[in-house]
Amino acid sequence: MLVSYNWLQDFLKLDEDPTVLSEKITRTGVEVAEVRHPQAGLKKIVIGHIIDCEPIEGTHLNLTKVDVGEDEPHQIVCGAPNVAAGEDVIVALPGARIADNVKIKKGKLRGYESNGMICGLQEIGFADSVVPEKYANGIYVFPQDADVKPGEDAFEALGMDDYIFDFDITPNRADTLSMEGSAYEVGAIVDEPVKIEDVTLKADGPNWTDNFTAEVDPKLAPKFFLRKITGVKVADSPLWMQRRLWNAGIRPINNVVDVTNYVMLLTGQPLHTYDARSFATEKLVVRKAQKGESLTLLNDKAVDLDPNDIVITNGQEVVMMAGVMGGLNSEIKADTTEVILEAAIFDPTLIRKSALRHANRTEASSRYEKGVNWDATKRALNMAALLLRNDAAGSINEGIVTATDTERKQDIVHTTISYLNKTLGTQISAAEVQHIFERLNFPVEIAGDDLTVAVPARRWDVAIPADLVEEVGRIYGYDRIESTQPVLPETHGGYSPEEEKIRRVKKVVQGQGLVEAISYSLTSPEKAVSFVKQPKELVKVQMPLNSSRSTLRQNLMTGLVDAAIYNMARKQNQLQMFEQGRVYDFENSTYNEHEHLATLYTGNVYFENWQHDNDPIDFYYVKGQLTNLFLAIGINPTKVTYQAETIAQMHPTRTAGIYYEGQYLGMIGMIGHETTRSNKVLKGKEIYGYELDLDVLLPLANNSKLVAKTAPKFPPVERDLSVLVEQDVTSEQIEEVIKKNGGQYLINLPVVDVYQGSQIDKKKKSLTYRLIFLNENDTLTDDIVNEAMTEIKEDLQTSLQAEIR
């Protein structure tokens, strides 16, 4: 909201520097983002009267003689299409500074001397959006009734001597979206009484209400009033009104439309005028739009109306999208003589949704959606009617069509002085509290410690005792409240044992080179149960923003896959990332939250480099990463088993369930083709990952931390062992036999080769292991190693019918 300092002075006495005043306003809760002085940086810009204007042959230029209040008129060459003799205009004299610090000098154009410049509004700093359309591509011409004289400073006539406060208003303080509301606020801050003009109106035309009917649903419009003004003459608004409109950021249009904008700025109540010819039916209906209806708005935008849009019709066709913008079929035209004036309160939720749905937010809709003073509706209607009589030569017909007039009960808030002081940490006296509410123009009664405040309708943000505390605190001055230490029991910060374990897991995963991702907890019902072995009852949002964010997730893998799609679409194909977060379900008649960890891998093990092969990530690489995680948090990998599982959206033959002594921990595997092939970004890519239930995993973790030890003094002994076994014999079975017989010095057992091919039986496979023996306290002899190797070979042959190669 742009608030004029000069306009504020109509309501209260102000003698403070505008910059100082803006600081006071900001300290009390309404931030002033900027104080702008339109004439700052400009000089030597005056009023000029064009005495003579002759075209320069062969050009688009005109040679003018302009009276600028000096002994002799100035000769000025001007190329504006609307320049003419007899006009009062803006003149920048030689040596003047105009917008963008441009200096005006004497010069010659086409051989003619030019002593100055006749200016358009944009050339002296006005925004295109506020310049009247008729002057958008030319110079500005003062209205004929403007009280201006040649040679006078132009800044005052144009309102550029004003100071404009840019109120950065929060939604709860929409009362300051009007000059009256802003005046109440500033008056309370500077402790000055506010003068609000009342309206006394006498009609001077015949009664029109007998033949006109209005049907309005009070749920859509709890207040709805109409007046009729006849004999209107559409023209430019008087200069004083144009000044106030463009200083508030609104383009002047004509003396009918400008009245509604002016009164909206003044009172905060949006108004609308209709050409009465669009209501030849003598009927007005406020309802919701019907399927298939459309409307061309005043800005020439054609919209297909939604069944939740509030519309105003003449009983036959739609003439306005209520609370947002009028229709082109009912606009005020140059030949309009009869006007129907509307003042109403509409449902704020429906107005906001309509404005957003059609991408057509307006000054009116922004006020309706935030709140409007219900006590100002009829007063604003009468004020606008009076201005139309004064500025548009209209006659006000007798009677107001009152379609709805719902009363709103005044809020009465009870609290105590002691509660205010306790909450604020102050010792404000009852007399000072009373004076603060009087400054705010809140009727107040104090009886001992009890405080009763009647909240005016213009302050709908005040409803509970805590609101009164805020009002007292900000007017009293937050900077006057002494800083004190809170009287609270001392607490020690830190993480709970569960949080410590989670952070430990995340630290290990990050150390493996994975990057953390964070995704939405809300997803679609289909994605919520993807990558889940046994889906549970869904937790759904009652009023979702859209269908893709309607359900709480039961897995983290979905979010990682979405993140992979986003990155791969931007040519980032080397991904290793993880997410730690919560999943949700409804089980055993209660809502449950569970901590999970999920990882996702795709691309190569290493980034492309000439020093090594580009080995692609596969199931075994990811399983190795998971095994390292188990080791790091103190879980014995030998107690962890992997069983083939069928899980939605996972590969049918490359997916395994993870179990610890029979207890399900999660799953590991490759994302299924039905997911990768359905997305052109993922098509042809192999994506692996795992997801763990930390609620199950963390209680199994060993709290003891890993301890580093020095390198052994004695060398290890290595033996390679090749074993030929049946295809159904697992590597785990072979390893169990080797470890059982390897003795205390066997420390590592990596697989170095696996072979299946024409050189051996088709039903068999050959595995080669490297057995590493180490005695940390003495040199290991060949006799000890050979003895262990003999026992290993014998047991392999006996228990697994293995052939030693």
Side-chain angles (χ1 to χ4, degrees):
M1 173 71 181
L2 300 178
V3 177
S4 160
Y5 182 81
N6 289 347
W7 197 351
L8 279 175
Q9 291 179 316
D10 288 358
F11 302 96
L12 66 158
K13 182 180 178 181
L14 288 175
D15 54 9
E16 295 199 48
D17 179 87
T19 305
V20 175
L21 179 60
S22 73
E23 178 64 26
K24 287 185 177 181
I25 296 171
T26 298
R27 285 205 307 268
T28 56
V30 177
E31 181 182 354
V32 178
E34 179 189 21
V35 181
R36 186 170 58 85
H37 189 37
Q39 78 172 62
L42 309 180
K43 66 177 184 179
K44 298 185 73 173
I45 298 175
V46 299
I47 307 294
H49 178 76
I50 300 177
I51 300 170
D52 189 30
C53 178
E54 296 292 337
I56 299 175
E57 189 175 350
T59 73
H60 71 287
L61 302 175
N62 294 278
L63 186 65
T64 67
K65 294 189 182 302
V66 184
D67 180 3
V68 292
E70 298 179 3
D71 294 339
E72 295 291 333
H74 279 222
Q75 177 173 289
I76 300 176
V77 177
C78 179
N82 61 329
V83 64
E87 295 176 339
D88 291 322
V89 295
I90 306 166
V91 177
L93 300 174
R97 292 282 182 179
I98 60 173
D100 299 324
N101 201 32
V102 174
K103 186 176 181 179
I104 302 301
K105 302 177 182 179
K106 290 183 180 180
K108 279 190 175 183
L109 289 172
R110 298 298 178 95
Y112 294 92
E113 253 189 30
S114 184
N115 297 322
M117 175 181 178
I118 303 176
C119 300
L121 292 175
Q122 299 97 320
E123 291 165 324
I124 59 172
F126 280 65
D128 289 333
S129 60
V130 301
V131 176
E133 283 190 6
K134 64 191 295 185
Y135 303 123
N137 298 311
I139 59 172
Y140 179 72
V141 180
F142 287 94
Q144 291 183 354
D145 59 351
D147 185 17
V148 294
K149 296 179 181 178
E152 286 184 345
D153 190 273
F155 298 128
E156 183 178 354
L158 296 170
M160 299 181 72
D161 62 332
D162 201 353
Y163 287 85
I164 311 300
F165 300 98
D166 185 358
F167 279 18
D168 192 0
I169 297 169
T170 53
N172 65 310
R173 289 307 310 273
D175 60 290
T176 54
L177 280 172
S178 69
M179 288 303 303
E180 291 179 351
S182 299
Y184 277 118
E185 177 70 11
V186 175
I189 293 168
V190 300
D191 197 7
E192 284 288 339
V194 179
K195 298 174 292 183
I196 301 296
E197 184 180 355
D198 200 3
V199 180
T200 302
L201 180 65
K202 289 185 179 180
D204 55 357
N207 192 302
W208 72 292
T209 61
D210 293 338
N211 299 323
F212 196 95
T213 60
E215 299 175 7
V216 179
D217 184 347
K219 292 181 180 178
L220 302 180
K223 280 181 176 285
F224 196 92
F225 306 110
L226 297 172
R227 268 196 178 279
K228 188 172 184 180
I229 295 87
T230 57
V232 169
K233 295 180 181 178
V234 178
D236 289 340
S237 295
L239 184 58
W240 68 267
M241 184 177 287
Q242 291 192 47
R243 276 197 303 260
R244 291 192 165 174
L245 289 175
W246 62 46
N247 277 350
I250 295 178
R251 184 200 301 272
I253 298 173
N254 59 52
N255 56 352
V256 176
V257 176
D258 290 353
V259 161
T260 61
N261 287 329
Y262 173 80
V263 174
M264 177 183 68
L265 291 172
L266 179 63
T267 65
Q269 171 64 55
L271 302 169
H272 190 70
T273 51
Y274 305 90
D275 188 320
R277 290 174 294 187
S278 61
F279 287 95
T281 58
E282 297 291 323
K283 183 178 183 180
L284 181 147
V285 179
V286 178
R287 58 169 172 81
K288 287 190 176 181
Q290 297 171 356
K291 188 175 181 180
E293 286 186 317
S294 61
L295 177 67
T296 301
L297 300 174
L298 288 171
N299 58 6
D300 291 322
K301 181 179 180 179
V303 295
D304 293 323
L305 296 169
D306 185 271
N308 286 315
D309 294 331
I310 306 175
V311 296
I312 295 173
T313 78
N314 58 13
Q316 296 175 353
E317 63 176 342
V318 178
V319 297
M320 181 181 182
M321 188 190 301
V324 180
M325 185 174 283
L328 201 61
N329 56 359
S330 63
E331 74 167 331
I332 302 300
K333 302 179 180 66
D335 63 345
T336 297
T337 58
E338 294 188 352
V339 170
I340 293 177
L341 181 63
E342 167 214 296
I345 302 290
F346 295 106
D347 182 288
T349 302
L350 293 178
I351 296 300
R352 174 174 173 79
K353 289 182 177 180
S354 291
L356 293 176
R357 184 183 300 119
H358 300 292
N360 206 75
R361 294 192 73 195
T362 60
E363 292 283 345
S365 69
S366 68
R367 283 167 171 81
Y368 276 127
E369 69 187 40
K370 293 179 177 69
V372 176
N373 180 4
W374 282 38
D375 284 358
T377 308
K378 188 174 287 188
R379 186 169 72 89
L381 181 77
N382 291 332
M383 191 177 295
L386 186 61
L387 286 169
L388 286 173
R389 179 163 65 190
N390 295 343
D391 299 335
S395 296
I396 303 172
N397 285 20
E398 183 70 41
I400 297 176
V401 173
T402 303
T404 58
D405 189 9
T406 307
E407 293 295 323
R408 175 177 281 183
K409 188 178 179 181
Q410 185 178 31
D411 286 328
I412 306 295
V413 184
H414 302 278
T415 187
T416 62
I417 305 294
S418 57
Y419 170 75
L420 296 176
N421 281 315
K422 179 182 177 182
T423 306
L424 292 170
T426 55
Q427 294 181 346
I428 306 174
S429 66
E432 191 167 1
V433 170
Q434 181 167 358
H435 181 59
I436 287 172
F437 284 112
E438 288 172 351
R439 288 166 63 178
L440 288 162
N441 284 275
F442 285 16
V444 58
E445 291 182 7
I446 296 179
D449 190 42
D450 295 330
L451 176 69
T452 302
V453 177
V455 183
R458 62 182 171 82
R459 287 299 304 275
W460 54 91
D461 60 306
V462 178
I464 59 176
D467 296 329
L468 298 183
V469 174
E470 181 183 6
E471 293 301 304
V472 171
R474 67 188 191 85
I475 300 301
Y476 177 75
Y478 294 129
D479 53 336
R480 294 175 60 191
I481 300 175
E482 294 184 7
S483 299
T484 57
Q485 292 292 336
V487 183
L488 296 170
E490 185 177 354
T491 58
H492 296 281
Y495 298 104
S496 68
E498 291 75 17
E499 289 172 328
E500 288 284 3
K501 290 181 178 180
I502 290 174
R503 289 172 66 84
R504 184 177 171 190
V505 168
K506 290 175 67 175
K507 188 174 181 180
V508 172
V509 175
Q510 286 171 331
Q512 293 177 330
L514 279 75
V515 177
E516 184 171 11
I518 300 174
S519 58
Y520 289 113
S521 296
L522 289 170
T523 185
S524 65
E526 297 77 22
K527 289 185 176 181
V529 294
S530 297
F531 312 107
V532 178
K533 180 183 177 183
Q534 293 181 332
K536 298 174 183 176
E537 188 173 345
L538 295 174
V539 179
K540 294 187 176 181
V541 179
Q542 288 185 346
M543 297 177 65
L545 293 174
N546 53 60
S547 59
S548 64
R549 296 279 181 260
S550 64
T551 310
L552 284 168
R553 64 191 179 188
Q554 291 190 15
N555 71 90
L556 301 181
M557 190 63 74
T558 291
L560 292 179
V561 171
D562 289 342
I565 293 171
Y566 180 88
N567 281 274
M568 288 182 177
R570 289 154 180 80
K571 306 300 182 183
Q572 302 300 313
N573 298 314
Q574 187 79 10
L575 301 175
Q576 295 189 29
M577 52 188 175
F578 78 98
E579 179 172 6
Q580 191 281 310
R582 293 183 178 180
V583 299
Y584 311 85
D585 62 60
F586 185 75
E587 190 178 31
N588 300 326
S589 302
T590 184
Y591 295 98
N592 306 294
E593 300 182 18
H594 307 283
E595 297 285 355
H596 274 213
L597 171 77
T599 64
L600 181 142
Y601 302 77
T602 187
N604 296 325
V605 174
Y606 303 103
F607 284 96
E608 291 184 7
N609 194 297
W610 64 272
Q611 294 176 308
H612 52 69
D613 295 331
N614 296 323
D615 297 327
I617 288 172
D618 58 13
F619 179 93
Y620 299 102
Y621 173 79
V622 177
K623 181 172 176 287
Q625 293 275 79
L626 180 58
T627 300
N628 289 338
L629 171 62
F630 289 151
L631 286 169
I633 63 175
I635 292 179
N636 188 350
T638 62
K639 296 183 179 181
V640 178
T641 57
Y642 299 85
Q643 299 178 14
E645 301 277 8
T646 300
I647 296 175
Q649 307 302 319
M650 294 296 290
H651 194 284
T653 62
R654 299 186 190 179
T655 301
I658 308 167
Y659 294 85
Y660 182 89
E661 296 183 336
Q663 190 174 10
Y664 184 73
L665 296 181
M667 64 89 184
I668 181 172
M670 176 180 163
I671 305 301
H673 291 313
E674 58 184 304
T675 299
T676 56
R677 288 174 181 168
S678 63
N679 187 289
K680 63 180 181 180
V681 174
L682 301 182
K683 197 169 184 179
K685 303 288 195 307
E686 290 192 0
I687 302 175
Y688 293 88
Y690 60 81
E691 182 160 347
L692 301 173
D693 186 344
L694 296 184
D695 287 352
V696 179
L697 178 70
L698 293 181
L700 305 174
N702 188 341
N703 289 327
S704 61
K705 296 183 179 179
L706 294 176
V707 179
K709 62 180 182 179
T710 58
K713 297 179 180 179
F714 303 96
V717 176
E718 297 181 359
R719 294 283 193 273
D720 285 352
L721 177 64
S722 293
V723 183
L724 187 67
V725 294
E726 298 291 333
Q727 280 191 356
D728 58 354
V729 176
T730 66
S731 177
E732 186 177 10
Q733 292 174 293
I734 299 172
E735 289 177 6
E736 286 180 1
V737 173
I738 294 173
K739 290 176 181 178
K740 182 176 67 174
N741 297 281
Q744 59 179 324
Y745 301 126
L746 179 64
I747 63 168
N748 201 1
L749 185 61
V751 178
V752 295
D753 185 58
V754 177
Y755 177 76
Q756 286 179 287
S758 59
Q759 303 300 317
I760 60 175
D761 191 326
K762 292 183 179 180
K763 296 181 180 180
K764 294 189 176 184
K765 60 185 176 183
S766 174
L767 296 93
T768 301
Y769 296 86
R770 180 157 294 151
L771 285 66
I772 303 173
F773 298 87
L774 175 67
N775 184 348
E776 295 183 358
N777 301 313
D778 199 356
T779 301
L780 198 58
T781 64
D782 285 341
D783 292 340
I784 297 174
V785 175
N786 290 337
E787 183 180 347
M789 290 297 294
T790 300
E791 293 182 8
I792 290 170
K793 293 175 182 179
E794 290 177 353
D795 200 353
L796 285 171
Q797 292 169 337
T798 304
S799 59
L800 299 178
Q801 289 74 49
E803 295 180 30
I804 308 302
R805 302 182 72 191

